[in-house]
Amino acid sequence: MASKSAHAVAVAVAVLLLLLSPPAPAALAAAPQLSVDFHAASCPQLESIVRSAVQAALQRDIALAAGLIRIFFHDCFPQGCDASVFLTGTDSEQAQPPNANSLQPRALQLVDDIRAMVHAACGPTVSFADIPALPTRGGPSYSPSLGQLDSLAPAPANLVNQLPGPGTSSVQQLINLFGSRGMRDAADLVALSGGHTVGKSRCPFVRPQDDAFSRKMAANCSVDPNGKQDLDVVTPVTFDNGYYIALTRSQGVFTSDMALIRDPITAPIVRQFAQDKAAFFSNFTKSIIKLSKVPRPGGNVGEIRRSCSRSNRSPRLVETTGSEEEGFAASA
């Protein structure tokens, strides 16, 4: 299992760290100054805690790798990386169409479990929204700045519903959408789509029948409509460039996947990544750093949540000498 999931473990560790945040003792903190070494003094063991916990979790369930990547993207794309996607209750992002039934509860729970470990070791100095860089082995590593605070409320529905889906948007529409978040290079769209190199799709989302591969998927789904399809049919449990190799063989699962190899703007990039894993890793690193810097409309204001799923201001959150540790076990 370890050899098959080496890249997935490495990337998922880094991506999970993209879901953790900054020191500020007050319930509502002023915007801190972001820096790569933000947690060096307040929680020097942060990276080792997260790495160990994620590696152990992925050894039990490799599918968590895809779940962690999806959570990061779905949190950051609407209005910046602020952990708003974790909030439950009224107007929760999790209930909006792009997120409904698409975020793994066990991946959400893993983040909350690790938050509890980090707070136990360092106190409430790290939030869910931070974006540290974790040196990894066997996968791309990156060093974005730290210091993001957790939002007090979910992102508005109109922003959440701008999350790109598996449907019929044209490549140019997707490029424009990514550009509105500061990712203006077509390679950003192609590289971040490479997150599909791990994970599965439910049958209702696979693309319509227009070739032998899509007809095969349809036949499988007719046998089990609740079944799932690997998004990367070449190396489904390894974070590598197998997704792009599959696209060059017309084996993309989503309509949006196949659009990348059929469009003259993105097709050359797909072929480059299919031929050169290092080129994919390099571009993925640059693009995910851009994703981590999607501007927050109100600036970096918020808090360090004691519960993953609700603000510290919630009357349901009981003040104790430690902090109430309900998290997703109680809310999902």
Side-chain angles (χ1 to χ4, degrees), residues 112-315:
D112 201 18
D113 291 344
I114 292 176
R115 182 270 312 173
M117 296 181 213
V118 171
H119 284 197
C122 303
T125 61
V126 178
S127 77
F128 293 94
D130 209 6
I131 311 168
L134 177 67
T136 61
R137 296 179 181 177
S141 61
Y142 32 91
S143 301
S145 297
L146 318 178
Q148 298 281 6
L149 290 169
D150 293 328
S151 66
L152 303 175
N158 67 306
L159 294 180
V160 176
N161 286 320
Q162 291 179 25
L163 278 161
T168 57
S169 296
S170 71
V171 166
Q172 189 58 58
Q173 288 172 323
L174 291 172
I175 290 174
N176 293 343
L177 184 59
F178 273 63
S180 71
R181 265 64 177 185
M183 295 170 280
R184 298 181 176 85
D185 190 330
D188 295 323
L189 167 61
V190 180
L192 290 177
S193 296
H196 291 171
T197 192
V198 288
K200 297 176 181 288
S201 169
R202 294 191 299 122
C203 277
F205 297 107
V206 302
R207 62 187 171 95
Q209 301 179 51
D210 67 353
D211 59 16
F213 180 73
S214 59
R215 287 191 288 273
K216 180 180 178 181
M217 287 194 297
N220 292 338
C221 287
S222 68
V223 174
D224 181 8
N226 296 316
K228 294 183 178 181
Q229 167 67 48
D230 288 324
L231 294 176
D232 172 0
V233 298
V234 177
T235 51
V237 298
T238 304
F239 195 99
D240 59 10
N241 61 337
Y243 163 77
Y244 301 104
I245 295 171
L247 293 190
T248 63
R249 299 172 181 173
S250 296
Q251 294 177 336
V253 172
F254 295 146
T255 299
S256 57
D257 291 331
M258 288 306 301
L260 297 178
I261 190 61
R262 291 171 174 171
D263 189 278
I265 297 174
T266 51
I269 306 171
V270 171
R271 294 191 185 97
Q272 179 191 18
F273 292 171
Q275 296 169 0
D276 187 349
K277 183 176 71 174
F280 163 49
F281 276 16
S282 175
N283 279 270
F284 182 84
T285 296
K286 294 174 185 176
S287 298
I288 206 166
I289 289 175
K290 291 181 185 179
L291 176 64
S292 75
K293 294 180 179 179
V294 170
R296 296 174 61 167
N300 182 26
V301 295
E303 64 186 1
I304 298 172
R305 291 188 208 133
R306 296 188 305 279
S307 168
C308 190
S309 58
R310 57 186 181 270
S311 168
N312 297 342
R313 294 179 169 189
S314 169

Side-chain angles (χ1 to χ4, degrees), residues 37-58:
D37 60 352
F38 193 90
H39 292 294
S42 64
C43 193
Q45 62 270 59
L46 171 63
E47 294 182 4
S48 62
I49 292 172
V50 175
R51 183 188 298 109
S52 296
V54 173
Q55 287 177 337
L58 292 180

